[in-house]
Amino acid sequence: MHKRALLGAFLFFRIVAGWIFGGQTTYYIYTMSQQILILDFGSQYTQLIARRVRELNVYCEIHPFNKVPELTPDIKGVILSGSPCSVRDAGSPDVDASLFDGKIPVLAVCYGAQLLAQKSGGNVVASKIREYGRAKLTTVDHHSELLKEISLDSQVWMSHSDTIDKVPASAEIIASTPSVKVAAFQMKDKPVYGIQFHPEVTHTTEGKNLLRNFVVHICGCSQDWTPDQFVESTVADLKTKLGNDKVVMALSGGVDSTVAAVLIHKAIGKNLHCIFVDNGLLRKDEFQNVLKSYEGMGLNIKGVDSKELFYSALKGLTDPEAKRKAIGKSFIDVFDEESHKISDVKWLGQGTIYPDIIESVSVKGPSVTIKSHHNVGGLPAKMKLKVVEPLNTLFKDEVRIVGKTLGIDPNILGRHPFPGPGLGIRILSDITAEKVRILQEVDSIFIEGLRQHNLYNKVWQAGAMLLPVQSVGVMGDERTYENVVALRAVTSTDGMTADWAHLPYEFMAEVSSDIINKVKGVNRVVYDISSKPPATIEWE
């Protein structure tokens, strides 16, 4: 398992729960009558293509280029992604040329366009100058279905070191830029298109229009992928698949597990048994607050206070990985014991989302952070439960939209990500109850301050770190030698990259003063102004 896998927001509870169970069957709940197939050649933008298609209310799935599924009637079109590779290199990603026979519409992007050109008789060469960044379309063939209502001089985003020198004899050029003659081309007698730019990024100002032309007008997709339909269909399928069976599920108070639990609850009611474990590393009053927030949702949830067990397992540990493993093992023990108290359980519910599925598949190229996801098969045989994952076709933003449709409290849906191991990886030394108390108080002042100053929703994630250093201070007439805490707040869209949040100086001064005056044991506050990359959001 990748060393950082356990740091995913709220994913940790699904990880350690997954280690317990050995069900070979994972049920993908939502069945689509129409979809777009996206073949991933390793581009860092592949998931972004999928998100743009989903924004058009059209369902799509990403599959590795070397694992092309059968082209069933429900697949209305195919999009080929970009890649860091060159089609001129031996062993570069490839697909069967029959994909381009015109039986199904194809949109080939960047590397995909070069591959299409090469396999159809065109020529791809190395660019003299790497073509990267913004460009303007100087010619646009508006007779092409793909480019209808795409403006002349429309801005597009280029990112390639190879270029299409000559299109196939069976193709025609439909767009150019000042430096790229073949910015887009199409086959003359079939709905197969290649574009050298990236329509999925916001820098391509009319990229969404181009994708709509392909997905809706060329492929004929009906745009019926909506939150309401997802909820209705998913709950109906859950009722059929689960029947009167019991499901056990670990809740964390986070978005994914909460939305998944509510969907399952709508289908089977009290046959869903939820377990929320207090590992002693939660935020201040979080155990009580999460349980209270779930009360109004009618969920059958049991809170388990296991603080002392976790503190005992963590005693003397300072290495971050050792702490994660100790926390994970302890959670397994607690969840295993509690789940066995429920008779005749047949299913494990999990809040797996679509990126978990995608990232579990190895694709040659940098778009995939190759990590082993517990949620995607390979669970060791122990309890032999079948796994039900009602969100495994959704991206994070779609999960929040579905949660809103379900009427879930906006305070839950809008919560900042919080690391699964909790404050255990925000205390940069060994864990003690006293250190947890200090950090909980600091964190509470910081987070509540963000809320009071209307800054919470402008920040993607925020928290405090207790540093393994002490500093000299003066309080009143006395010399102090106490702890240093670091505050961290970042802005981001998906957590893959992040910038430090430029919080107002007046706010930072107020928070720093409150922490030092109110939290016994702290006499210095610093603010982390590192971006990701090169730094990570969490310190451990």
Side-chain angles (χ1 to χ4, degrees):
M1 177 175 287
H2 191 283
K3 287 186 177 180
R4 307 302 292 183
L6 293 180
L7 292 179
F10 307 117
L11 190 59
F12 173 78
F13 290 101
R14 301 202 300 274
I15 287 175
V16 292
W19 287 338
I20 300 175
F21 303 106
Q24 282 84 27
T25 306
T26 297
Y27 283 82
Y28 293 76
I29 297 301
Y30 197 72
T31 302
M32 292 303 303
S33 58
Q34 294 183 342
Q35 65 172 285
I36 297 295
L37 171 64
I38 300 172
L39 295 185
D40 183 14
F41 292 99
S43 170
Q44 61 181 319
Y45 299 133
T46 302
Q47 288 195 32
L48 192 53
I49 296 175
R51 292 177 68 173
R52 295 291 177 257
V53 173
R54 297 280 184 91
E55 287 171 3
L56 296 170
N57 294 327
V58 174
Y59 182 70
C60 61
E61 289 184 0
I62 298 173
H63 290 265
F65 70 92
N66 54 356
K67 296 181 180 179
V68 182
E70 179 185 356
L71 296 181
T72 54
D74 64 305
I75 296 177
K76 300 301 181 182
V78 177
I79 298 177
L80 309 184
S81 83
S83 174
C85 303
S86 169
V87 297
R88 300 178 295 106
D89 293 341
S92 58
D94 197 4
V95 293
D96 188 339
S98 65
L99 184 67
F100 309 126
D101 61 10
K103 293 178 181 176
I104 187 171
V106 174
L107 175 62
V109 177
C110 198
Y111 176 91
Q114 295 164 5
L115 183 63
L116 166 61
Q118 185 182 72
K119 294 182 77 69
S120 303
N123 191 43
V124 178
V125 299
S127 300
K128 294 180 180 179
I129 300 175
R130 186 167 184 254
E131 294 158 341
Y132 180 85
R134 295 172 176 83
K136 297 284 187 179
L137 295 180
T138 51
T139 63
V140 177
D141 183 354
H142 290 113
H143 293 98
S144 170
E145 284 289 325
L146 186 69
L147 299 182
K148 282 188 175 179
E149 300 183 8
I150 301 299
S151 308
L152 192 64
D153 290 330
S154 182
Q155 178 179 286
V156 297
W157 182 262
M158 297 285 188
S159 180
H160 57 96
S161 55
D162 286 348
T163 194
I164 300 169
D165 181 58
K166 183 182 70 173
V167 298
S170 57
E172 57 187 353
I173 299 171
I174 57 174
S176 302
T177 72
S179 60
V180 181
K181 180 181 179 181
V182 187
F185 68 96
Q186 72 177 58
M187 309 308 285
K188 296 176 181 177
D189 56 349
K190 46 195 174 186
V192 177
Y193 306 84
I195 56 176
Q196 189 62 83
F197 52 89
H198 288 271
E200 67 273 21
V201 301
T202 55
H203 302 302
T204 298
T205 53
E206 295 181 300
K208 191 170 183 178
N209 292 342
L210 186 148
L211 289 172
R212 181 185 292 107
N213 287 341
F214 178 72
V215 169
V216 178
H217 302 305
I218 295 172
C219 297
C221 292
S222 58
Q223 296 182 277
D224 59 359
W225 171 252
T226 63
D228 288 340
Q229 187 188 38
F230 174 85
V231 170
E232 181 181 351
S233 177
T234 299
V235 171
D237 285 347
L238 283 168
K239 288 179 178 179
T240 300
K241 288 182 171 68
L242 301 178
N244 293 319
D245 292 348
K246 291 181 181 179
V247 178
V248 65
M249 184 172 185
L251 292 186
S252 66
V255 177
D256 301 339
S257 65
T258 300
V259 174
V262 172
L263 282 169
I264 296 172
H265 175 74
K266 285 180 72 70
I268 64 172
K270 292 297 183 179
N271 277 341
L272 171 64
H273 295 261
C274 300
I275 299 171
F276 179 44
V277 178
D278 184 357
N279 60 6
L281 303 168
L282 303 174
R283 282 175 161 156
K284 183 180 179 182
D285 299 328
E286 186 168 22
F287 184 61
Q288 295 82 3
N289 291 340
V290 167
L291 288 176
K292 185 176 180 180
S293 68
Y294 282 137
E295 283 178 2
M297 300 165 66
L299 293 178
N300 180 18
I301 182 169
K302 179 180 181 180
V304 183
D305 184 348
S306 299
K307 293 192 291 290
E308 295 308 318
L309 173 66
F310 282 84
Y311 290 158
S312 177
L314 287 164
K315 187 175 181 179
L317 297 181
T318 58
D319 177 72
E321 191 69 11
K323 288 193 287 186
R324 291 189 203 99
K325 288 179 179 178
I327 295 168
K329 183 181 181 303
S330 299
F331 186 87
I332 291 172
D333 293 341
V334 174
F335 192 81
D336 190 14
E337 179 181 352
E338 293 299 325
S339 61
H340 275 93
K341 295 178 182 178
I342 308 167
S343 62
D344 300 322
V345 174
K346 295 183 179 180
W347 299 82
L348 168 68
Q350 294 199 107
T352 312
I353 60 176
Y354 195 42
D356 301 342
I357 304 292
I358 297 169
E359 292 175 1
S360 69
V361 181
S362 175
V363 176
K364 184 178 180 181
S367 72
V368 174
T369 302
I370 300 174
K371 39 181 157 176
S372 175
H373 276 284
H374 54 283
N375 299 340
V376 196
L379 303 179
K382 184 172 183 180
M383 294 185 70
K384 300 295 184 183
L385 296 184
K386 292 176 287 186
V387 179
V388 58
E389 301 173 315
L391 304 179
N392 59 13
T393 59
L394 300 185
F395 287 100
K396 189 78 170 186
D397 52 345
E398 293 173 321
V399 173
R400 287 195 168 97
I401 294 171
V402 168
K404 184 177 180 180
T405 299
L406 289 167
I408 295 174
D409 186 344
N411 290 324
I412 294 178
L413 297 178
R415 283 190 63 184
H416 288 176
F418 186 63
L423 302 182
I425 59 166
R426 291 184 176 178
I427 297 173
L428 277 62
S429 59
D430 63 313
I431 310 297
T432 66
E434 174 61 12
K435 290 180 180 179
V436 171
R437 180 199 67 79
I438 291 173
L439 192 55
Q440 284 178 333
E441 295 293 339
V442 172
D443 179 87
S444 177
I445 292 172
F446 185 29
I447 298 300
E448 288 307 310
L450 289 170
R451 294 186 189 279
Q452 292 169 10
H453 287 261
N454 296 317
L455 295 169
Y456 185 84
N457 292 329
K458 297 178 181 179
V459 172
W460 193 78
Q461 184 173 347
M465 319 294 164
L466 182 62
L467 306 188
V469 294
Q470 292 183 309
S471 69
V472 174
V474 177
M475 290 187 179
D477 294 327
E478 296 183 1
R479 175 184 182 275
T480 63
Y481 190 60
E482 294 180 330
N483 296 288
V484 180
V485 293
L487 305 183
R488 178 79 157 138
V490 298
T491 57
S492 180
T493 56
D494 55 14
M496 299 302 292
T497 61
D499 190 18
W500 60 277
H502 295 234
L503 300 175
Y505 291 153
E506 296 79 9
F507 166 76
M508 296 302 299
E510 179 182 318
V511 166
S512 175
S513 177
D514 282 350
I515 290 171
I516 292 173
N517 288 329
K518 296 177 181 178
V519 183
K520 184 179 180 181
V522 176
N523 68 355
R524 192 177 299 270
V525 176
V526 299
Y527 186 54
D528 182 351
I529 59 170
S530 309
S531 296
K532 176 188 179 182
T536 54
I537 295 176
E538 298 294 340
W539 282 38
E540 288 191 345

